[in-house]
Amino acid sequence: MDLQTYAILNGPLAVLNMVTIAFYIFCMVRPLHGEKIKQPLKLLLWTLIGSTIIYIWSGVADGFSQMSGLNFTMMFWSDLLMICSVSTSMTSSVWLNFFYCSQIVPAHSALFTWIKKNVKSIIYVFWITERIYTLLEITSMLLIFTDFDAFLSSNNFTMVDDMPEKDFWKGFKENMFLIVFSTMKTHFVFCLCVMVMSSGSTVLYLCGHMRRMAANGQLVSSPRFRNQVRVTVTGLLQGALYVFSASWIIYGTFPQNANINIRFTTVDSTVIMVYMTATLFNLGAGQAVFRQRAAHIWLRGAQCFKAPQVQQTDQGA
């Protein structure tokens, strides 16, 4: 994909996402009726929104660096931030699904009872662990892509001593690179398992619950049940998005050998940008804090448009 096509496809999506993010931030800072968002939901939402902002601006910087002369330093940092931010965004959506599963599905085992009681602590532990891993990932990438050859030549190594040093650093960088990306793949697969189990457990419970309610002649239109169904549907959609995007990144972007490369191609960036866009709109449909504020603004706008018509009708009478 050439850069012009890339800009045409991703530019409108980036603008749309930034507008959506600005609205979400407004909703979280000034929630409707002053209702506070409880933890750990608030932490996960802020993490997802923040990582999406970093990804969008990193993608913009990467595109400009390519069009302006391939500034390697800017491209390197842009790609590194894009990889870290998309990983953070995707794992945040996983833990959102996990959190809602723990709130919806009743406990039928000792393990799940313990998870429900300690879900906040579990999410905090994984969140902190993933942030530490992100810092280690950035540090490892800086070591991997440090120009040791220039360092060796600047210190005037002899030819006899220079070649073993270069071979050592080459092997070191290749091994570290494989360790970092193997760990990243394992992390994606682990989160994929959590996503599938969370979504699957919620769907199985709600299907069985609906059958029991129908057999007992009970109505399935209560607000609480509708909210659970809405969260489940958005969770399933997010799960499908995660499966597709994680598979694309693992098998299409990450290297399968010791070939050191962390470049996102324009096709990779476009696929991930579509994932980010779908995730943001799915988030708006599933989270009450965004949905209620949007409905409130829509009603206020409708009232403003109706008011002049009413006044004109009164004047004509």
Side-chain angles (χ1 to χ4, degrees), residues 174-194:
E174 289 179 352
N175 291 332
M176 180 176 285
F177 185 79
L178 288 177
I179 291 172
V180 169
F181 277 89
S182 297
T183 305
M184 191 178 292
K185 286 182 180 180
T186 304
H187 184 218
F188 269 106
V189 173
F190 169 74
C191 290
L192 178 61
C193 294
V194 174

Side-chain angles (χ1 to χ4, degrees), residues 6 10 55 82 264-274:
Y6 171 77
N10 288 266
Y55 179 84
M82 288 168 71
F264 269 167
T265 65
T266 52
V267 176
D268 296 330
S269 299
T270 302
V271 170
I272 296 172
M273 183 65 78
V274 172

Side-chain angles (χ1 to χ4, degrees), residues 3-19:
L3 289 177
Q4 184 177 1
T5 305
Y6 171 77
I8 292 174
L9 291 176
N10 288 266
L13 290 179
V15 173
L16 178 63
N17 289 343
M18 290 306 298
V19 172

Side-chain angles (χ1 to χ4, degrees), residues 177-178 181-182 185 249-263:
F177 185 79
L178 288 177
F181 277 89
S182 297
K185 286 182 180 180
I249 293 174
I250 290 174
Y251 296 105
T253 303
F254 290 170
Q256 306 300 320
N257 48 43
N259 179 28
I260 298 179
N261 178 28
I262 63 166
R263 285 288 302 155

Side-chain angles (χ1 to χ4, degrees), residues 1 3-4 8 11-12 25 31 40 50 56 67 81 90 114 117 121 149 155 208 241 256 272 281 292-293 295 299 305:
M1 182 187 300
L3 289 177
Q4 184 177 1
I8 292 174
I25 292 175
I56 292 173
M67 291 185 290
L81 289 175
M90 294 177 71
W114 180 84
K117 289 181 178 179
S121 299
D149 294 341
N155 285 272
L241 288 170
Q256 306 300 320
I272 296 172
F281 280 90
Q292 291 173 359
R293 174 64 74 174
L299 291 175
F305 280 109

Side-chain angles (χ1 to χ4, degrees), residues 196-245:
V196 171
M197 288 191 297
S198 300
S199 300
S201 300
T202 308
V203 170
L204 290 176
Y205 164 72
L206 286 182
C207 289
H209 186 55
M210 290 177 65
R211 286 196 297 267
R212 288 191 295 270
M213 292 179 70
N216 296 329
Q218 298 176 347
L219 296 177
V220 294
S221 58
S222 64
R224 183 169 181 269
F225 185 77
R226 287 201 303 268
N227 289 335
Q228 291 179 344
V229 172
R230 184 184 296 108
V231 169
T232 303
V233 171
T234 55
L236 281 175
L237 292 176
Q238 191 62 42
L241 288 170
Y242 184 92
V243 170
F244 174 77
S245 301

Side-chain angles (χ1 to χ4, degrees), residues 10-316:
N10 288 266
L13 290 179
V15 173
L16 178 63
N17 289 343
M18 290 306 298
V19 172
T20 305
I21 288 172
F23 171 71
Y24 288 172
I25 292 175
F26 170 73
C27 293
M28 295 185 67
V29 174
R30 297 290 300 273
L32 193 63
H33 307 308
E35 298 177 358
K36 293 184 178 180
I37 304 174
K38 297 181 180 180
Q39 296 287 10
L41 179 60
K42 187 176 183 179
L43 174 67
L44 294 175
L45 290 177
W46 276 118
T47 304
L48 197 153
I49 290 173
S51 59
T52 305
I53 293 174
I54 294 174
Y55 179 84
I56 292 173
W57 284 110
S58 300
V60 171
D62 185 70
F64 275 114
S65 64
Q66 294 187 52
M67 291 185 290
S68 62
L70 298 176
N71 185 323
F72 177 77
T73 302
M74 183 177 291
M75 288 173 56
F76 167 74
W77 279 105
S78 298
D79 287 325
L80 182 56
L81 289 175
M82 288 168 71
I83 290 174
C84 294
S85 58
V86 72
S87 174
T88 302
S89 173
M90 294 177 71
T91 54
S92 297
S93 66
V94 170
W95 297 116
L96 273 174
N97 262 28
F98 177 78
F99 173 71
Y100 279 117
C101 174
S102 67
Q103 301 301 300
I104 294 175
V105 181
H108 294 293
S109 65
L111 176 61
F112 197 58
T113 301
W114 180 84
I115 290 175
K116 287 177 71 69
K117 289 181 178 179
N118 300 277
V119 63
K120 185 183 294 187
S121 299
I122 292 172
I123 291 177
Y124 284 156
V125 168
F126 276 104
W127 188 90
I128 293 172
T129 304
E130 288 171 349
R131 300 297 73 75
I132 294 174
Y133 168 73
T134 300
L135 292 176
L136 293 176
E137 180 184 335
I138 293 174
T139 304
S140 301
M141 287 296 125
L142 290 175
L143 290 174
I144 289 169
F145 287 92
T146 298
D147 191 354
F148 289 108
D149 294 341
F151 171 77
L152 293 171
S153 61
S154 65
N155 285 272
N156 298 320
F157 284 93
T158 61
M159 183 60 67
V160 176
D161 296 330
D162 187 56
M163 293 308 295
E165 290 287 344
K166 287 184 178 180
D167 292 340
F168 169 78
W169 285 117
K170 181 180 179 181
F172 169 78
K173 290 193 291 185
E174 289 179 352
N175 291 332
M176 180 176 285
F177 185 79
L178 288 177
I179 291 172
V180 169
F181 277 89
S182 297
T183 305
M184 191 178 292
K185 286 182 180 180
T186 304
H187 184 218
F188 269 106
V189 173
F190 169 74
C191 290
L192 178 61
C193 294
V194 174
M195 175 71 82
V196 171
M197 288 191 297
S198 300
S199 300
S201 300
T202 308
V203 170
L204 290 176
Y205 164 72
L206 286 182
C207 289
H209 186 55
M210 290 177 65
R211 286 196 297 267
R212 288 191 295 270
M213 292 179 70
N216 296 329
Q218 298 176 347
L219 296 177
V220 294
S221 58
S222 64
R224 183 169 181 269
F225 185 77
R226 287 201 303 268
N227 289 335
Q228 291 179 344
V229 172
R230 184 184 296 108
V231 169
T232 303
V233 171
T234 55
L236 281 175
L237 292 176
Q238 191 62 42
L241 288 170
Y242 184 92
V243 170
F244 174 77
S245 301
S247 301
W248 181 281
I249 293 174
I250 290 174
Y251 296 105
T253 303
F254 290 170
Q256 306 300 320
N257 48 43
N259 179 28
I260 298 179
N261 178 28
I262 63 166
R263 285 288 302 155
F264 269 167
T265 65
T266 52
V267 176
D268 296 330
S269 299
T270 302
V271 170
I272 296 172
M273 183 65 78
V274 172
Y275 165 82
M276 293 284 190
T277 306
T279 297
L280 287 176
F281 280 90
N282 198 42
L283 197 66
Q287 300 298 319
V289 63
F290 304 141
R291 191 176 62 255
Q292 291 173 359
R293 174 64 74 174
H296 177 73
I297 293 175
W298 178 267
L299 291 175
R300 292 289 297 272
Q303 291 174 358
C304 291
F305 280 109
K306 288 180 179 179
Q309 297 178 1
V310 174
Q311 292 178 359
Q312 292 177 3
T313 303
D314 293 340
Q315 291 175 0

